[in-house]
DNA sequence: TATTGTTATACTCTATAACTATA
DNA sequence: TATAGTTATAGAGTATAACAATA
C-alpha cells in the first residue's frame, strides 16, 4: 500500500553522515517505527506503550503502590498519577485503599481490565511479530539479547 | 557511582510478564538509556537527538528547504519550524533566502555551527561508544544491521 | 490550485516543586 | 522528619488545521 505519511528511514539522495555509524541513531529509528505501528495497532483500545507496560506490570505484581510503579517504569511520581488516572478513566485499573498505610493505594486491574488485557496482549504480540518478521527466530532472539546488554550496561565505569 | 535517579531496566523481584518477550519493549528500554545518556552528555551545547540529526543533515546536504528537512526527519512542517528556530537561537543554523523560490529558505550552518559541530560530533561519538562498550565490534555491527532491518521493513504485507 | 513557511492550538510524556495527609 | 499521593506548572516533541505569500 502507498502510505506517504509515515517515517521514511532513508530518503534517497540524502547523506546522513555520521548518523549512519551511530548505534543510538539505529535504535531511535527502530523505535520510531515500532512506536508508530504500536499506536496504530492498539488504537481501538486507547492503549499506548507506557499504558500497556503499566497494565502488564500491575497484573503480574498485584498490590503495587503508585510510587513502586513509578520506580519500576522509571518515571516521576507525578507521571504515574496521570498514567493511572488515564487507565482508571478507561476502566482498566482501580486504586484500592492499602490496608496497612492510609496514605497509599494498592493498584489492581478491574474485571474489564483483566478481560481486555487478554485481547490487548494478543494485539501487541501480533504487532510485535509484524515488526520482527524480517528476522529469523534466531536473529530475533539475538537482537533482544544484544539490546538487553545495551540497556543493562551502566553508563559510567 | 550510585545514581538512584535513572532508569532501572529490571527492578529485582518484579515480574515483567509478556514484556520480556517483546522486541518492542527491548528496543524501548535501550532507547530510554541511550536518550538519557545523550541528553546528559550533550547538555553543555543544548543539543538533543533531533537537533543533532538536523545539524548533521543540514551540514551534509547544503541548501535544504524546511519542507525537505521535515520529510527527511519524518516530522510535520510545523515541527521543523520549531526545530530550526531553536537551532537559530543557539546560533548554529541560519535561514538564507532561496534564490529560485521567494517562498522558501535554504538552510545552512553558521560558522559557529560548523565549528561547534566538530566538538558536538566528538561528544556524540564518545557517548555512543560508551553505550556500546559491552559489545564486541562484531556485535555492534550486527546489532546495527539487525536494527536497520527492523526499521526498513514495511509495516504491511 | 498547489506549495512554503508560519501560527494557533492541542495532546502525550516527561520533569520539578510545593502541598496534604498520614507515618 | 519522611513518605504517599496529588496538584500546579513547565518544557520537549509531536500533531492538525488554517493562513499569507508565492508558484
Amino acid at each position: 500500500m502507498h502510505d506517504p505519511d509515515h517515517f521514511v528511514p532513508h530518503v534517497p539522495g540524502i547523506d546522513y553522515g555520521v548518523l549512519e555509524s551511530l548505534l543510538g541513531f539505529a535504535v531511535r529509528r527502530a523505535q520510531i517505527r515500532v512506536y508508530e505501528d504500536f499506536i496504530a495497532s492498539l488504537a481501538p483500545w486507547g492503549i499506548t506503550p507506557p499504558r500497556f507496560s503499566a497494565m502488564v506490570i500491575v497484573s503480574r505484581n498485584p498490590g503495587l503502590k503508585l510510587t513502586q510503579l513509578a520506580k519500576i517504569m522509571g518515571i516521576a511520581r507525578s507521571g504515574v498519577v496521570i498514567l493511572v488516572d488515564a487507565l482508571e478513566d478507561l476502566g482498566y485499573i482501580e486504586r484500592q485503599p492499602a490496608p496497612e498505610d492510609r496514605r497509599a493505594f494498592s493498584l489492581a486491574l478491574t474485571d474489564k481490565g483483566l478481560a481486555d488485557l487478554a485481547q490487548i496482549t494478543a494485539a501487541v504480540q501480533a504487532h510485535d511479530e509484524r515488526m520482527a518478521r524480517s528476522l529469523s527466530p534466531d536473529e530475533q532472539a539475538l537482537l533482544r539479547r544484544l539490546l538487553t546488554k545495551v540497556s543493562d550496561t551502566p553508563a559510567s565505569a
Side-chain angles (χ1 to χ4, degrees), chain A residues 106-120:
Chain A
S106 283
L107 295 172
L109 290 191
T110 61
D111 290 344
K112 175 179 161 63
L114 194 59
D116 281 19
L117 182 55
Q119 293 177 267
I120 289 168

Side-chain angles (χ1 to χ4, degrees), chain A residues 20 35 39 44-45 52-53 60 68 84 87 109 117 123 133-135 137-140 142 155:
Chain A
E20 291 294 357
Y35 184 84
I39 294 294
W45 293 275
F52 178 65
S53 296
R60 308 284 301 191
Q68 293 175 298
V84 168
L87 288 170
L109 290 191
L117 182 55
R133 72 153 197 272
S134 61
L135 306 180
D138 278 0
E139 285 178 320
Q140 295 180 26
L142 180 56

Side-chain angles (χ1 to χ4, degrees), chain A residues 6-29:
Chain A
H6 65 68
F7 182 53
V8 180
H10 295 97
V11 174
I14 295 301
D15 179 356
Y16 290 80
V18 70
L19 299 178
E20 291 294 357
S21 69
L22 296 173
L23 176 60
F25 192 70
V27 170
R28 176 60 183 149
R29 265 198 313 222

